[in-house]
Amino acid sequence: MSLETVLSRIDQDLPAATERLLELLRIPSISTDPAYKGDCQTAADWLVSDLQSIGIQAEKRKTPGHPMVVGHIEGDGPHILFYGHYDVQPVDPLDLWDRDPFDPAIEEAEGHKVIRGRGASDDKGQLMTFVEACRAWQSVNGTLPCKITFFFEGEEESGSPSLIPFMRENADELKSDIALICDTGLYGDSTPTIVTMLRGLLGEDFTITGPDRDLHSGMYGGIAMNPIRVLTRILADLHDDTGRITLPGFYDGVEELPEEVLAQWQGLNFDHQSFLSEVGLKEPAGEQDRMPIEMIWSRPTCDVNGIWGGYTGAGFKTVLPSQASAKVSFRLVGKQDPDAIRKSFRDYVESRLPEGFSIEYRTEKGSPASQMSIDNPMFEQARTALSAEWPNPAAYVGCGGSIPIAGYFKDILGTDAMLIGFGKDDDQIHSPNEKYDLSSFHRGMRSWARILDALTKQA
Ligand SMILES: [Zn+2]
């Protein structure tokens, strides 16, 4: 039967789908707090039986922490995996909530309906958009359009300690043609997105030592080299006047955007002035020959996150400190190699140290950027399907932060991941009064039905 029939089934079933989501939201599955361990089990059980109710072979799977929920249904065509997480963030401070976070309800907010409660958006509401799309498909067609694996985690909000081992141990079972991840948001209020670039991260934490003890500037000032003077000069020279990072080889592996993606980004009309004015700023600080949106999504960065040394207490002490320290981090893109950049950074810093100075590093592990290959035709099929549902065409976007799960699918399973989500910037995920627009929930389900149709029709 046609896609239109599935879509109207979704429309008719919206009240019942909302009731099911409210039921799931009532389970306080806070993963980080051991007091809610039983509730995490309950949420996993709820999902297992909900999946079973639409003909999916689902079970709870043990991990050293909270269980995974894994479900399968056989079918022809591509093998699609869907990932979401059933755990939620803690709710404190509780007194800032207008209602009990685990007594969710539909409320009016600024003229539209929202589902209010912890997890409404992140990620129970988002997760259920896919499940509900499958339910509607199943009830219209008696089956699902292809082989689908459901993979729900219960530790996403507490660092996913069991995820990598579980994916490794069950790689054959979880390997698929594409992984769909629903834990991101729209651009603005009505432009659907597929995240295809996630920046990596590298940090360097180090201390330089000059004189072997703190000195008095009345006695040594002028003749002794001050480590803070050395450090600040080193840090200041990491950027040139155009915002470019000066480390030799730093831009190796940084790629230019494909033309169609560049055009999509231009079409988003990112308003950097209002973005910056919200935090009291005016001027974009990245490479001056780049669009501001590129600075956040597709260009690498270098930032000093902390700097200390000498006397910083009340009053004044004319000390020439023995040591000065800093934390510097880099957001990485494309094929930049964290190890090569670490080496370049250290060579640069050490080449600038005066004779007799020493340096000590406290190393943290770096992670490269993740980049999805939009040459995989499934990306364009999904983008076209999303564009049919929303007022604005869907765009491939970057993400300035990191969402490690996407990289895990690629690295551990060799599967491309599509991050598609229907959250809004003001959903207040992780904060009091979390909400999810009822229209996002509804349109999210319709979007997945369209995507399933597009991915399976053309396979
Ligand atoms: Zn989430």
Side-chain angles (χ1 to χ4, degrees), residues 93-172:
L94 199 55
D95 54 325
L96 293 185
W97 284 81
D98 296 333
R99 63 177 307 114
D100 177 346
F102 296 110
D103 178 25
I106 309 299
E107 292 180 356
E108 282 295 320
E110 288 147 25
H112 48 190
K113 288 198 161 68
V114 301
I115 305 158
R116 178 94 61 192
R118 174 55 91 225
S121 174
D122 183 15
D123 188 41
K124 289 173 175 171
Q126 300 246 60
L127 177 158
M128 288 304 287
T129 57
F130 187 82
V131 176
E132 294 296 349
C134 290
R135 190 188 322 272
W137 194 293
Q138 214 275 347
S139 81
V140 167
N141 297 295
T143 176
L144 282 165
C146 63
K147 178 172 177 174
I148 301 180
T149 295
F150 299 78
F151 182 33
F152 303 146
E153 185 193 359
E155 301 180 325
E156 199 274 344
E157 303 290 9
S158 49
S160 300
S162 308
L163 185 62
I164 292 180
F166 189 87
M167 286 175 95
R168 287 222 170 96
E169 277 157 33
N170 300 281
D172 286 341

Side-chain angles (χ1 to χ4, degrees), residues 24 50 99 107 127 163 192 204 213 224 229 270 320 375 387 422 428 455:
L24 177 59
D50 194 57
R99 63 177 307 114
E107 292 180 356
L127 177 158
L163 185 62
E204 281 282 52
R213 73 203 72 174
R229 176 170 148 197
F270 175 62
L320 284 177
D375 298 340
S387 301
F422 311 102
Q428 286 151 224
L455 297 183

Side-chain angles (χ1 to χ4, degrees), residues 83 85 87 121-123 156-157 182-184 429-430:
Y83 165 93
H85 64 91
D87 62 321
S121 174
D122 183 15
D123 188 41
E156 199 274 344
E157 303 290 9
C182 192
D183 199 14
T184 50
I429 60 169
H430 300 197

